[in-house]
Amino acid sequence: MRNLIIGLSLTAVFVAAALISFLWTPFDVTKFDIPNKLQAPGGAHIFGTDQFGRDIFSMIMVGARTSIAVAVVAVGIGMALGVPLGLAAAARRNTWADELIMRGNDLVFAFPSLVIAIMMTAVFGASALNAIIAIGIFNIPVFARLTRSAALSLWQRDYVMSARVAGKGPVLISVEHILPNITNLLIVQGTIQFSLGILAEAALSYIGLGAQPPLPSWGRMLAESQTLISLAPHLALFPGFAIVLTVLGLNLAGDGLRDLLDPKLREVRT
């Protein structure tokens, strides 16, 4: 329970910062203020300013919006496509349909999101949308494998056998009996993939394949700071801490949710 509280608290801070940034930021992140460039943290700029005089704290707030939006949509794509595929594969286990779905997932899983993003960028150009699609495609086999594995064990349960005797088809059984009983696993995996999505977005932005200027991104902030890190280390510290704390919060929240939703695991830990 402690992990869940700490994780949700950390996550809530960055979600709140992202939401507030839609309405207000201390300074305009698109406006250059060259006379005040590379200011140390303190005063009006509590996190300092970058090489263009932009307020780091404001950029962290807007960067949270970018990272969270990309991760949420990418995980949503993975769940929306991966879960039905996993349910279909489990319902048609040991058939050509099951084999086709899982071998297709293996093929997609062989290409990391970074490689998919590079290929998409070569065709369509770098953008936040392409980063979302790349990370989302990578998430599909993750949820498909988890769903199939969890669903297979449930297809042998007595209540599923009873539903089949009652005349229910595979689709209805999957929706009414299988999916509700694996929702807790999907929620926990979703938090894990959410944190990985934020890391992936930061990595893509770091190499210039994510959100493009003037939209701030934590990964691009790190990339822009590397030539000035000896002169102004705060340029790298604050976006780095933002990534670490957000991912830590999501992982702790996922760990806490797993304990909360799994009574057997909760008993072992207590």
Side-chain angles (χ1 to χ4, degrees):
M1 195 57 145
R2 181 180 59 184
N3 286 347
L4 180 61
I5 294 173
I6 296 173
L8 289 178
S9 299
L10 286 173
T11 304
V13 169
F14 288 98
V15 171
L19 293 175
I20 292 172
S21 71
F22 282 103
L23 303 174
W24 172 85
T25 54
F27 295 88
D28 185 353
V29 297
T30 63
K31 185 177 180 180
F32 291 178
D33 186 12
I34 302 301
N36 292 314
K37 67 178 182 180
L38 299 179
Q39 283 191 1
H45 303 281
I46 59 173
F47 284 1
T49 60
D50 68 359
Q51 65 272 31
F52 301 112
R54 296 174 297 183
D55 181 60
I56 298 295
F57 183 73
S58 300
M59 294 180 69
I60 292 292
M61 291 178 65
V62 179
R65 184 173 72 196
T66 304
S67 296
I68 291 173
V70 169
V72 166
V73 177
V75 171
I77 291 173
M79 293 186 73
L81 297 178
V83 172
L85 286 174
L87 290 173
R92 302 294 183 183
R93 58 194 179 281
N94 299 325
T95 64
W96 66 268
D98 179 22
E99 190 70 15
L100 179 64
I101 291 171
M102 297 318 296
R103 297 295 76 78
N105 278 300
D106 290 341
L107 179 63
V108 174
F109 202 68
F111 295 90
S113 57
L114 185 61
V115 175
I116 297 173
I118 291 173
M119 292 189 296
M120 292 187 61
T121 301
V123 179
F124 303 108
S127 69
L129 177 60
N130 290 339
I132 289 172
I133 295 173
I135 300 170
I137 291 173
F138 181 75
N139 280 327
I140 292 173
V142 174
F143 285 103
R145 286 181 171 189
L146 175 66
T147 302
R148 179 182 181 275
S149 176
L152 281 176
S153 63
L154 297 180
W155 272 96
Q156 308 303 320
R157 299 292 179 88
D158 291 340
Y159 60 84
V160 174
M161 297 295 183
S162 300
R164 296 177 68 179
V165 171
K168 292 185 178 180
V171 175
L172 198 58
I173 292 175
S174 296
V175 173
E176 290 187 354
H177 300 284
I178 303 297
L179 185 58
N181 285 285
I182 63 173
T183 300
N184 57 337
L185 294 175
L186 297 175
I187 291 173
V188 173
Q189 188 64 41
T191 60
I192 295 172
Q193 294 306 122
F194 190 12
S195 66
L196 293 177
I198 288 177
L199 283 175
E201 189 280 330
L204 292 174
S205 295
Y206 185 85
I207 61 175
L209 301 181
Q212 299 300 298
L215 189 65
S217 169
W218 292 344
R220 196 173 65 255
M221 290 171 69
L222 286 174
E224 293 173 349
S225 70
Q226 52 187 347
T227 57
L228 299 167
I229 195 165
S230 60
L231 180 63
H234 65 276
L235 296 181
L237 286 177
F238 291 114
F241 280 136
I243 295 171
V244 169
L245 291 176
T246 305
V247 172
L248 175 63
L250 288 167
N251 284 334
L252 288 175
D255 190 53
L257 283 172
R258 183 177 56 191
D259 292 351
L260 186 65
L261 298 173
D262 190 340
K264 294 180 180 179
L265 188 58
R266 185 169 63 246
E267 290 174 4
V268 170
R269 293 204 173 189
T270 54

